[in-house]
Each structure stands twice: as structure tokens, then as C-alpha cells.
Amino acid sequence: VIDGNTRAVVATVPVGEFPWGIAVDPGTRKVYVANAGPSTVSIIDGNTNTVVQSVPVGERPTAIAINTATHTAYVVNTNAQNVSIIGPSFDVVATIPIAGPDLTASTPITIAIDPVTQFVYVAGYLHNGTGFWPAMRMIDGATNTSIPGLVAQWTSDWSVEALAINRATGWGYSVWNLATGQGDELFPSDKFADHRFDARGRLLTPLHDGVPKIATSFTRSLHSVAVDDARNIVYVTGTM
């Protein structure tokens, strides 16, 4: 735990094995940590920096997003290919399958929420045994139900790695990597891009490649993305 004012480490909180994703609900001061090893979510009280609950979820949770309007956590379970929804009482209130069309498998990796529309965006990749395609689906956060079909599917090879949404403008940003190779031997190419999508419906259309692409200087891979809402600055991490 780092104090943002002093930039000093003020606490270290033990959680589950292989802690991966993390998200904060500022309204309740609760911190949610996805533990990929035991497939649980540790809930930390931000006032005391202690774990107050451990919630079992699907296999290999890797990412979390918080609906600050409802104090609900959405947990991406990559191996289980679903999303666990943890309610304000810290119990799983629903599990949403992330299944592809025509029996195509769909593997979720990352998640983001637009607090204005309460739409939840889940992205990763589709695969059918012969190839991989970046894709994104939606959950209606007001009803906690899956919106049928794909919101977007790109024809480029491999997967979406991270999502972020500017809460002020409604623009979302997805970073994803391309790969070439055969079978399990995938080699990064030099083609990486930050893809912008509209979380409020002004641009995004199903199954298209027409979103604006923002070139980056990274030559190996992109990893994560975050947005400063007030200044409309997008930060992207990657490997040179």
C-alpha cells in the first residue's frame, strides 16, 4: 500500500497466491485483489489495510473492475471463461459466461466499466483451434445480464490485453498484440496499436475493423493502459 501524498510504502497486506488484478471502490474504501492461484478475491478494508473477506470465484481470476454506482465488482475468470459479479455484501450474485458464437471458445483477459452507462466491457480473444482473434463483449451493469453477440471483433491475430475508459469523454482504449507463428509457438510481430472505441455508442459497430488506431513506439508488446480523465491523457505500458 503506497501513500499517494508521500509516495511511501505504508503497509503490506498478505492475500492469496499469485495476486494479479486489483481495483478500488473509493465509495466504500474497499480494495479487491484477484488471486489467480486459489481462484479467490481478497477484499481489503482500506481504512485498516486488513483483509475482511475472501470470495471464491471462477478459475484463474486475472482482472477486476468496479461499478462505483452500485459498489459491485466484476471479476474476469480467464480459465473458466466467465465473469463473477461480487455484490456489496461481498458474495457472488451472478456468473456470466463469456461464450463465442457458433461454439467458438472465448477467453476473457481484461475488463472495464463506463460508470455513466453502467456498461461493462470484457475483452480477450476468440479461438477455434486454428487461430486467434481479438474480440470484445458487453454486460449490462444495471441488470447484470450479458448483451448478446460481439461488440467488436478484429481480424488481426492474437488478443486484447487491456482496456480503459475515460469517464469524462466516454472514449475507451484497448491495447492488443499481434502474433505470428504456428501452434503454440507464437512470436510477437512489430505491429502493435492502441485501438480507440466509443463506450457510448457514437462510433462502435459490431464486427468491424474501422476503429481509429494509434501507433506506439513499442516494438515488442503492449501490456496495460490507464486514462487520466481530467487531462484526457492515455498512458500505455509496453516492451521496447
Side-chain angles (χ1 to χ4, degrees), residues 127-146:
H127 58 94
N128 63 359
T130 60
F132 299 83
W133 302 272
M136 184 161 57
R137 296 183 177 280
M138 286 175 63
I139 297 170
D140 186 338
T143 60
N144 285 334
T145 55
S146 179

Side-chain angles (χ1 to χ4, degrees), residues 74-126:
Y74 295 79
V75 184
V76 168
N77 304 309
T78 296
N79 286 10
Q81 298 182 340
N82 59 29
V83 173
S84 296
I85 302 176
I86 301 175
S89 299
F90 309 145
D91 55 344
V92 176
V93 297
T95 300
I96 307 295
I98 305 298
D102 302 325
L103 303 180
T104 301
S106 180
T107 300
I109 294 177
T110 185
I111 192 167
I113 296 175
D114 182 347
V116 174
T117 64
Q118 296 194 45
F119 286 149
V120 182
Y121 294 83
V122 184
Y125 61 88
L126 301 176

Side-chain angles (χ1 to χ4, degrees), residues 60-225:
R60 195 169 176 261
T62 56
I64 303 179
I66 305 294
N67 185 334
T68 55
T70 61
H71 306 296
T72 301
Y74 295 79
V75 184
V76 168
N77 304 309
T78 296
N79 286 10
Q81 298 182 340
N82 59 29
V83 173
S84 296
I85 302 176
I86 301 175
S89 299
F90 309 145
D91 55 344
V92 176
V93 297
T95 300
I96 307 295
I98 305 298
D102 302 325
L103 303 180
T104 301
S106 180
T107 300
I109 294 177
T110 185
I111 192 167
I113 296 175
D114 182 347
V116 174
T117 64
Q118 296 194 45
F119 286 149
V120 182
Y121 294 83
V122 184
Y125 61 88
L126 301 176
H127 58 94
N128 63 359
T130 60
F132 299 83
W133 302 272
M136 184 161 57
R137 296 183 177 280
M138 286 175 63
I139 297 170
D140 186 338
T143 60
N144 285 334
T145 55
S146 179
I147 297 176
L150 294 171
V151 179
Q153 176 182 332
W154 295 276
T155 56
S156 301
D157 204 13
W158 203 224
S159 67
V160 180
E161 297 296 320
L163 295 174
I165 294 175
N166 185 320
R167 293 170 293 181
T169 65
W171 281 108
Y173 298 86
S174 64
V175 296
W176 50 276
N177 296 328
L178 307 182
T180 58
Q182 295 181 344
D184 293 331
E185 296 182 302
L186 297 171
F187 303 94
S189 74
D190 60 354
K191 299 176 182 177
F192 305 102
D194 182 3
H195 286 244
R196 188 173 76 160
F197 65 93
D198 191 334
R200 295 174 192 165
R202 292 167 299 196
L203 174 69
L204 198 60
T205 56
L207 303 176
H208 78 296
D209 276 299
V211 291
K213 300 177 182 180
I214 304 169
T216 70
S217 59
F218 298 111
T219 58
R220 297 193 61 185
S221 62
L222 297 177
H223 305 302
S224 192
V225 60

Side-chain angles (χ1 to χ4, degrees), residues 10-29:
V10 296
T12 299
V13 183
V15 291
E17 188 179 16
F18 299 122
W20 210 265
I22 188 168
V24 178
D25 184 343
T28 63
R29 294 187 178 178

